[in-house]
Amino acid sequence: MDINQVLSASFFIALVTAGIRLSIPVLVTVLGEIITESAGVMNLGLEGIMAVGGVVGFLTAFNLQGGSLHSSPQLAIYFALIAGFVAGMGMGLIMAFLSVTLRADQTVCGVTIVLLGVSLSNYLYRQAMNTLAESLVSLTIYKIPYLHKIPILGPILFEQNLVFYLVIVLVLVVHFFLFKTRRGLEIRSVGENPAAAATSGISVEKTRYLATIVGSGLTGLGGAILTVVQLGLFRENIIAGRGWVAVALVIFSRWRPKNAVIGALVFGLADSLQYRIQAVTQVTYGKNTVPYEFLLMLPYLLTIGVLLFRNSSSDAPATLGEPYVQDAR
Amino acid sequence: MNREPSKIQRRRTDIFHTASPTVLNLISIPSGILLGLILGAVLIVIAGADPIASYKIMFSSSLGGKNQIIETLIKACPLLLIGLGLSASFKAKVWNIGAEGQYYIGALFGWMVGMYGTALPKPVLIPLMLTAGLIGGSLWGLLPAILKIKNGMNVIISTLMLNYIAILIVQYLARGPLQEPGGFLPRTAKLERIARMPQMFGTRLHLGCVIALLLVPVVYYIFTSTPLGFKLRAVGSNPKVAKYAGFNVNLAIFIALIFSGALAGMAGTIEISTAYQRLQSSISLNYGFNGVLIALLGRTNPWGVLLTSIFFAALTIGVENLHVVIGLPVSLSDAIQALVVLSVMVVDSYIRKKAS
């Protein structure tokens, strides 16, 4: 493929549209982790939780579309997303039990959750799927009347599926929840100063459980959106580091949902570039060719780059990663 | 919150209170392993197989005889080296998850020397390859160390991203510039006989394995009886106090990452000159990540790491046999390993919480 083709308008629109789609699973995961970390729990298990949400979502959609919901495959997708959310909550419960109740080292818990989630999902997938020819019915694209006719911007922003529109709403909801509601204030106060929060009658343990479980639910949902809506398939190790990228993007976002949108978009664009170009193996620029492996590296290089330029942890919740021991004296 | 019993009451009722960490490990690790194996049995039942018969097959095929034990030791070799290396990092609470990438770059360096150094005599070539692996791995460990010290970058994230990048570099080289001449597959040529690890004692046990086993007491000595071991532990337990006590915290982070990178790189070279013999996109069975679990489960103690890596290798070989005999997915061994580590952590944290 020639570099001029890459820069053509139709390719650009396709690239950005796909980029936005691919940023959605990561964005949902980042939002979940912002909630969890705001309460002071550092859940590093995202990669594994996304994998579990992804496999549960995929298997649910696959079985429903081939079975009882054969006539309404669209509905099956929404059930699958709910299943992914619930599976994520289950993983969150394990994480909360380890880190809040048992006060285990959160880094160690997180890494273990990753390895558990990834291996379990690979195992479940191998166990449940006997055929290789599997694919899912994809979601209907809704065109917003009039707006989708705007050149360039129209097809990118106003010709998307329902999940896209719902996730935009979700960003606002999470922001409103964390910064404008009483429950959100409680979560943040537990992350900033658990002793003071406990004195004012907030249960630190309960709040941290809630934040971890809801956050992991969103992470599971992110995994399910990736496999069910975005890719329409599951493969071993399909999350391919997106969970870890999400951990990095939480730092980049400085624990603010609206900043997460920017981070996820940048990542999604890099991701879509490598997906688009992978198919044609290389891009030529004059006489030079860029091997596709270098394009595959983009998202990972970008994650390091993003942290190079935005590495302040002063906005982090003050007690992030520290277990809370009530009545230390 | 319920009313807590007073401290005196708690102390009296608590059987674990006076137990030392070693005793706690002796309780938590075996019971955790048992719990993990029970949870693993559930997975086997889900797959429709008989768990007891399955575990019997797994045991006899991995530890049931001299040949089986040697195969298990060979399988344990890369895990042991990576686990020993990561123990240094984890002691200092430097969360290096990048052994997989360090292993790949080590394999690349070792392969290059082995491929283009065939004019050298074997007793020169093999040590040279191992050194190249050490250098390659430590260079890949140097990057996150610099990023951490210069920019304060989270080591977990930088080492992880570097894993993906290292694998892609090797994949590119094996498909492109280093591809087997005249070959069609994305892989390099095989190493010649001279560049393969010599086998020892008339068995399949190779030099790399022997080096890994000999390193166990060496690393144990470094950890327990040298200033370096003490510094790593001090930095891990409280970096602020360590700094106040005049330790160079950055230097400790630096050494920890180089040390684990070097051993992972050597593991890569050993595997490339024994099991794989050529570079291709996949030259690891998740060694880097399983090494993390091994270092954690072995409590960063070299002898614990030795036992754990043999246990993990036995599980892997056992499940490979189950796969052949009754068709269970190979990923079962990874799942059981993670379940065991999780169970040990639950039991361990529970006891520690009760004891505090």
Side-chain angles (χ1 to χ4, degrees):
Chain A
M1 184 184 280
D2 191 73
I3 191 77
N4 294 322
Q5 263 174 288
V6 176
L7 296 176
S8 75
S10 62
F11 184 87
F12 178 76
I13 291 175
L15 181 79
V16 175
T17 313
I20 290 176
R21 277 187 201 147
L22 284 167
S23 70
I24 295 291
V26 178
L27 177 58
V28 175
T29 305
V30 172
L31 290 175
E33 182 69 0
I34 287 177
I35 297 177
T36 308
E37 291 197 3
S38 292
V41 177
M42 185 177 60
N43 183 359
L44 293 180
L46 303 186
E47 178 88 4
I49 301 174
M50 280 183 92
V52 171
V55 80
V56 169
F58 174 79
L59 292 177
T60 309
F62 183 74
N63 288 317
L64 286 179
Q65 285 187 352
S68 50
L69 282 176
H70 188 65
S71 50
S72 49
Q74 296 284 314
L75 193 59
I77 290 181
Y78 295 109
F79 274 114
L81 296 182
I82 294 170
F85 186 81
V86 174
M89 283 169 71
M91 295 294 283
L93 184 64
I94 301 176
M95 181 67 198
F97 178 67
L98 288 168
S99 58
V100 180
T101 304
L102 296 180
R103 297 176 211 138
D105 185 307
Q106 292 181 11
T107 306
V108 177
C109 302
V111 172
T112 314
I113 294 270
V114 170
L115 295 170
L116 180 73
V118 171
S119 56
L120 271 185
S121 62
N122 289 346
Y123 181 74
L124 282 177
Y125 172 71
R126 281 274 157 208
Q127 204 44 57
M129 299 295 295
N130 299 317
T131 54
L132 276 174
E134 87 282 12
S135 64
L136 295 177
V137 178
S138 55
L139 274 183
T140 317
I141 305 286
Y142 292 98
K143 292 184 179 176
I144 306 279
Y146 307 114
L147 289 176
H148 82 271
K149 285 183 185 152
I150 303 172
I152 302 180
L153 222 53
I156 291 173
L157 287 177
F158 303 109
E159 281 183 28
Q160 298 273 8
N161 54 41
L162 189 57
V163 169
F164 171 80
Y165 302 119
L166 287 177
V167 169
I168 292 177
V169 176
L170 183 70
V171 176
L172 300 173
V173 169
V174 172
H175 177 80
F176 184 79
F177 170 72
L178 274 181
F179 295 98
K180 308 284 175 198
T181 66
R182 189 175 170 75
R183 186 65 89 177
L185 179 67
E186 284 179 13
I187 287 180
R188 285 185 299 128
S189 65
V190 161
E192 285 298 334
N193 193 338
T199 316
S200 65
I202 301 167
S203 165
V204 175
E205 290 209 345
K206 221 168 99 181
T207 308
R208 287 192 169 172
Y209 257 87
L210 186 88
T212 308
I213 291 174
V214 170
S216 303
L218 286 178
T219 304
L221 177 65
I225 292 177
L226 178 73
T227 59
V228 177
V229 179
Q230 264 38 311
L231 304 177
L233 54 83
F234 189 89
R235 290 278 176 278
E236 292 194 355
N237 306 323
I238 192 151
I239 305 300
R242 289 185 179 82
W244 289 109
V245 169
V247 173
L249 289 182
V250 172
I251 302 172
F252 169 80
S253 78
R254 305 187 180 211
W255 293 266
R256 298 289 183 278
K258 57 179 192 311
N259 297 342
V261 177
I262 303 164
L265 267 180
V266 172
F267 175 78
L269 283 177
D271 207 12
S272 90
L273 191 64
Q274 60 92 355
Y275 262 104
R276 299 252 125 201
I277 295 175
Q278 210 179 332
V280 288
T281 62
Q282 56 195 18
V283 183
T284 55
Y285 176 72
K287 275 183 187 163
N288 307 312
T289 59
V290 183
Y292 75 91
E293 286 90 353
F294 291 171
L295 296 163
L296 285 174
M297 280 177 209
L298 274 180
Y300 309 120
L301 286 171
L302 198 70
T303 305
I304 292 180
V306 151
L307 287 189
L308 265 184
F309 294 108
R310 197 158 195 189
N311 210 18
S312 157
S313 56
S314 56
D315 299 313
T319 60
L320 184 61
E322 291 169 18
Y324 172 62
V325 184
Q326 202 190 22
D327 181 29
R329 224 159 296 277
Chain B
M1 261 291 115
N2 294 331
R3 271 252 230 94
E4 297 267 318
S6 79
K7 225 169 192 177
I8 300 164
Q9 263 177 322
R10 224 191 306 169
R11 203 163 278 178
R12 209 173 279 159
T13 51
D14 205 333
I15 50 163
F16 297 116
H17 191 82
T18 49
S20 71
T22 324
V23 174
L24 289 183
N25 284 343
L26 285 179
I27 301 168
S28 62
I29 291 177
S31 50
I33 287 176
L34 191 68
L35 185 62
L37 290 178
I38 293 170
L39 290 172
V42 174
L43 290 181
I44 297 174
V45 171
I46 291 174
D50 175 2
I52 294 174
S54 302
Y55 278 133
K56 268 186 189 158
I57 295 175
M58 283 167 70
F59 181 81
S60 63
S61 60
S62 58
L63 299 168
K66 188 186 159 215
N67 288 338
Q68 284 85 341
I69 290 175
I70 284 174
E71 289 305 314
T72 301
L73 280 178
I74 293 171
K75 195 73 137 195
C77 165
L79 296 170
L80 173 59
L81 281 169
I82 291 173
L84 285 177
L86 289 179
S87 295
S89 285
F90 293 176
K91 268 200 195 306
K93 294 231 161 70
V94 174
W95 300 112
N96 173 12
I97 316 291
E100 188 86 359
Q102 292 146 12
Y103 169 99
Y104 267 78
I105 299 297
L108 170 65
F109 275 51
W111 183 88
M112 298 266 265
V113 171
M115 194 67 207
Y116 302 112
T118 42
L120 296 165
K122 191 158 181 145
V124 178
L125 182 61
I126 297 287
L128 213 58
M129 284 171 71
L130 290 172
T131 314
L134 279 175
I135 292 171
S138 40
L139 281 179
W140 214 244
L142 182 69
L143 281 173
I146 293 172
L147 290 170
K148 169 75 183 170
I149 293 165
K150 290 262 173 208
N151 292 74
M153 192 180 295
N154 185 321
V155 173
I156 300 183
I157 293 172
S158 60
T159 50
L160 251 150
M161 296 302 136
L162 286 168
N163 280 345
Y164 296 108
I165 293 168
I167 294 169
L168 285 166
I169 289 175
V170 170
Q171 203 175 312
Y172 161 66
L173 291 174
R175 179 183 66 89
L178 298 181
Q179 192 183 23
E180 184 174 15
F184 294 102
L185 294 171
R187 60 185 198 190
T188 66
K190 264 192 170 181
L191 286 177
E192 281 177 41
R193 256 211 128 62
I194 189 172
R196 303 209 198 135
M197 290 286 144
Q199 297 183 338
M200 317 277 286
F201 318 120
T203 63
R204 274 181 33 88
L205 201 69
H206 55 71
L207 178 69
C209 221
V210 177
I211 293 176
L213 291 170
L214 288 177
L215 272 175
V216 174
V218 174
V219 176
Y220 184 78
Y221 176 79
I222 294 175
F223 283 175
T224 52
S225 314
T226 65
L228 176 64
F230 179 68
K231 276 178 194 164
L232 289 177
R233 264 177 290 141
V235 169
S237 61
N238 194 333
K240 277 181 194 146
V241 172
K243 200 170 186 176
Y244 194 70
F247 292 165
N248 189 339
V249 174
N250 282 344
L251 187 67
I253 293 172
F254 189 79
I255 291 174
L257 277 164
I258 300 274
F259 185 80
S260 31
L263 288 197
M266 189 159 86
T269 296
I270 290 172
E271 286 303 286
I272 213 69
S273 94
T274 54
Y276 294 96
Q277 293 163 17
R278 56 168 121 230
L279 295 173
Q280 53 200 30
S281 68
S282 165
I283 47 171
S284 159
L285 297 171
N286 233 357
Y287 294 136
F289 293 101
N290 288 334
V292 172
L293 293 182
I294 285 168
L296 292 174
L297 193 56
R299 291 283 182 275
T300 67
N301 176 328
W303 297 105
V305 169
L306 173 65
L307 288 178
T308 317
S309 53
I310 291 172
F311 173 57
F312 274 35
L315 267 177
T316 308
I317 289 186
V319 169
E320 276 168 8
N321 276 284
L322 274 189
H323 177 69
V324 174
V325 178
I326 48 178
L328 286 182
V330 187
S331 46
L332 176 66
S333 60
D334 283 346
I336 294 181
Q337 285 160 8
L339 284 171
V340 165
V341 173
L342 191 75
S343 309
V344 171
M345 192 154 62
V346 168
V347 176
D348 192 61
S349 315
Y350 180 77
I351 294 175
R352 267 166 222 271
K353 192 189 167 190
K354 283 275 155 188
S356 68

